């Protein structure tokens, strides 16, 4: 499972209307009451960063939302042409993991803004999957404005907020479908989460040794800081490399390994076991089984498996900690691409 965490104080969402417009005045009053009113910043932007749990504006891709029905919504997003972490692959394609991150931000935004989840509650994602069209990921001059159609189902409501739900998402751009996907989330109150984690909060801010990295080129990266795999005991096995100072993977303090880091570990492992290190994850199916702790070794193992398309390649990645499975992911790539060049270009990692 992956927790989608927000630790800011609870704020009423009454200041957000059905068209997804954030009530700037209401939120400015909240910030002032908290003693954190920004200077020279638009309150809407600060509120949006809280809604998607991304404190740095560079990492915020969702831009707004509209309600279609009680359970259907449309979310707008904009992808960057370049990003410090979600870098273009081989200089030709947008990073497909932008799809997963957009799905994450979309779900969290709607959880707070449309369903009234308090900010101190904890989101947990149990499943995440997407399939995309690689031709729609080709870089170009046009702005990367994305529309995400969202349908929520199997909604279980608690006394004050939803307890869990399934989401189905369709991402499109310039009139064409870019990707489809879905996931299953649950939501726990701060008190329930504290009991669930059984006092593990002490690891927040604690020093975590930074392991040596495998060669960046082996995992499709140009910068060692973005490498999340450390050498393991045998081929196809690595230890998870955790850098709690990474500006995107650890954008805020956490008491466990963030889900986006596990997804990146799966991608890097798939790249490592693919001949030529040429792997574009256009299909991902992920199960988050347990919290992955920061202060205990986590082992990542990858092996090639048959793909649905004979021309494609597929890799099954699993993670274990304390001899228990904690994460599983199957990724598929369309196969070798003419002119592909790994690693990612310097300055784009």
């Amino acid at each position: 499972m992956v927790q989608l965490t927000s630790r800011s104080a609870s704020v009423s969402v009454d200041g957000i209307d059905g068209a997804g417009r954030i009530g700037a005045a209401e939120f400015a009053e909240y910030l002032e009451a908290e003693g954190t009113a920004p200077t020279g910043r638009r309150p809407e932007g600060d509120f949006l960063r809280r809604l998607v749990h991304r404190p740095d504006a560079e990492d915020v891709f969702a831009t707004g939302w509209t309600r279609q029905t009680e359970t259907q919504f449309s979310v707008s997003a904009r992808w960057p042409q370049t990003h410090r972490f979600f870098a273009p692959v081989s200089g030709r394609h947008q990073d497909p993991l932008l799809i997963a991150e957009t799905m994450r931000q979309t779900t969290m935004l709607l959880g707070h803004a449309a369903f009234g989840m308090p900010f101190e509650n904890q989101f947990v994602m149990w499943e995440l999957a997407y399939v995309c069209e690689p031709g729609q990921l080709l870089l170009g001059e046009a702005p990367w404005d994305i529309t995400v159609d969202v349908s929520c189902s199997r909604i279980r409501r608690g006394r004050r907020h939803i307890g869990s739900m399934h989401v189905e998402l369709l991402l499109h751009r310039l009139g064409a479908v870019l990707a489809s996907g879905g996931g299953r989330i649950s939501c726990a109150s701060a008190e329930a989460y504290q009991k669930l984690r059984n006092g593990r909060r002490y690891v927040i801010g604690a020093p975590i040794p930074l392991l040596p990295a495998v060669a960046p080129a082996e995992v499709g990266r140009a910068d060692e800081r973005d490498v999340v795999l450390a050498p393991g005991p045998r081929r196809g096995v690595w230890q998870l490399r955790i850098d709690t100072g990474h500006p995107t993977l650890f954008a805020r303090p956490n008491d466990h390994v963030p889900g986006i880091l596990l997804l990146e570990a799966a991608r890097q492992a798939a790249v490592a076991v693919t001949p030529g290190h040429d792997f574009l994850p256009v299909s991902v199916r992920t199960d988050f089984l347990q919290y992955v702790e920061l202060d205990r070794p986590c082992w990542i193992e990858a092996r090639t498996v048959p793909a649905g398309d004979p021309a494609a390649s597929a890799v099954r990645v699993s993670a274990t900690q304390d001899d228990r499975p904690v994460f599983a992911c199957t990724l598929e790539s369309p196969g070798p691409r003419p002119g592909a060049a790994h690693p990612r270009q310097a300055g784009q990692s």
Side-chain angles (χ1 to χ4, degrees):
M1 68 185 109
V2 54
Q3 176 200 342
L4 309 178
T5 311
S6 174
R7 296 187 178 84
S8 54
S10 177
V11 56
S12 169
V13 295
D14 293 341
I16 308 178
D17 66 20
R21 293 185 293 267
I22 296 171
E26 291 85 349
F27 189 60
E29 292 176 0
Y30 159 72
L31 290 176
E32 185 176 359
E34 292 293 311
T36 57
T39 302
R41 298 181 184 176
R42 296 179 61 203
E44 294 95 329
D46 289 328
F47 201 9
L48 185 58
R49 288 195 286 273
R50 284 168 167 79
L51 287 171
V52 300
H53 303 182
R54 282 295 191 182
D56 191 329
E58 182 178 347
D59 296 329
V60 176
F61 305 137
T63 58
W65 68 287
T66 57
R67 181 188 294 275
Q68 307 297 334
T69 69
E70 286 301 307
T71 58
Q72 294 176 310
F73 309 88
S74 179
V75 174
S76 57
R78 171 165 285 197
W79 288 358
Q81 285 278 40
T82 60
H83 188 271
R84 65 189 174 202
F85 181 74
F86 296 103
V89 179
S90 303
R92 300 178 66 240
H93 292 90
Q94 282 278 24
D95 184 352
L97 288 195
L98 280 166
I99 298 168
E101 176 62 16
T102 302
M103 292 169 62
R104 186 192 76 89
Q105 292 189 19
T106 293
T107 302
M108 297 169 71
L109 185 155
L110 293 176
H112 290 307
F115 291 97
M117 298 234 189
F119 276 74
E120 71 269 19
N121 283 19
Q122 314 297 330
F123 289 85
V124 178
M125 180 164 281
W126 298 86
E127 302 165 1
L128 184 147
Y130 72 76
V131 177
C132 70
E133 170 52 53
Q136 296 298 323
L137 295 174
L138 289 171
L139 293 172
E141 297 299 325
W144 281 82
D145 292 320
I146 311 294
T147 300
V148 187
D149 294 330
V150 186
S151 178
C152 304
S153 63
R154 287 175 275 183
I155 300 172
R156 182 177 62 82
R157 300 184 182 274
R159 288 184 300 173
R160 292 180 295 176
H161 55 74
I162 63 172
S164 63
M165 67 178 178
H166 288 68
V167 291
E168 295 181 0
L169 305 96
L170 185 70
L171 287 73
H172 45 96
R173 172 179 178 263
L174 300 177
V177 173
L178 188 157
S180 60
R184 178 170 63 94
I185 70 162
S186 62
C187 182
S189 67
E191 295 79 12
Y193 179 72
Q194 182 68 20
K195 292 180 181 178
L196 178 67
R197 294 298 287 142
N198 193 26
R200 292 289 302 173
R201 309 275 290 182
Y202 72 87
V203 300
I204 297 177
I208 304 297
L210 183 61
L211 301 174
V214 301
E218 292 183 10
V219 293
R221 283 290 179 178
D223 190 336
E224 181 179 289
R225 189 174 189 186
D226 293 328
V227 175
V228 299
L229 299 180
R234 62 185 186 276
R235 180 176 174 81
V237 178
W238 305 265
Q239 187 170 347
L240 188 65
R241 182 174 186 262
I242 299 171
D243 178 4
T244 56
H246 194 284
T248 297
L249 296 176
F250 281 89
R252 57 193 307 127
N254 214 329
D255 66 0
H256 64 277
V257 174
I260 192 62
L261 194 157
L262 295 172
L263 283 171
E264 178 64 17
R267 184 247 292 278
Q268 291 187 17
V271 171
V273 299
T274 299
H277 305 311
D278 179 24
F279 193 94
L280 186 74
V282 297
S283 172
V284 169
R285 301 189 306 276
T286 299
D287 291 304
F288 300 95
L289 305 173
Q290 299 285 340
Y291 289 103
V292 179
E293 306 299 351
L294 296 168
D295 56 351
R296 298 204 291 271
C298 177
W299 300 99
I300 308 295
E301 183 171 0
R303 58 185 176 89
T304 58
V305 295
D309 180 351
S313 56
V315 177
R316 177 70 172 175
V317 178
S318 59
T320 57
Q321 189 172 66
D322 298 331
D323 297 322
R324 295 190 305 170
V326 292
F327 169 80
C329 184
T330 300
L331 310 90
E332 293 194 14
S333 171
R337 302 181 305 282
H342 280 282
R344 304 177 190 195
Q345 297 176 356
Q348 293 184 333
S349 59

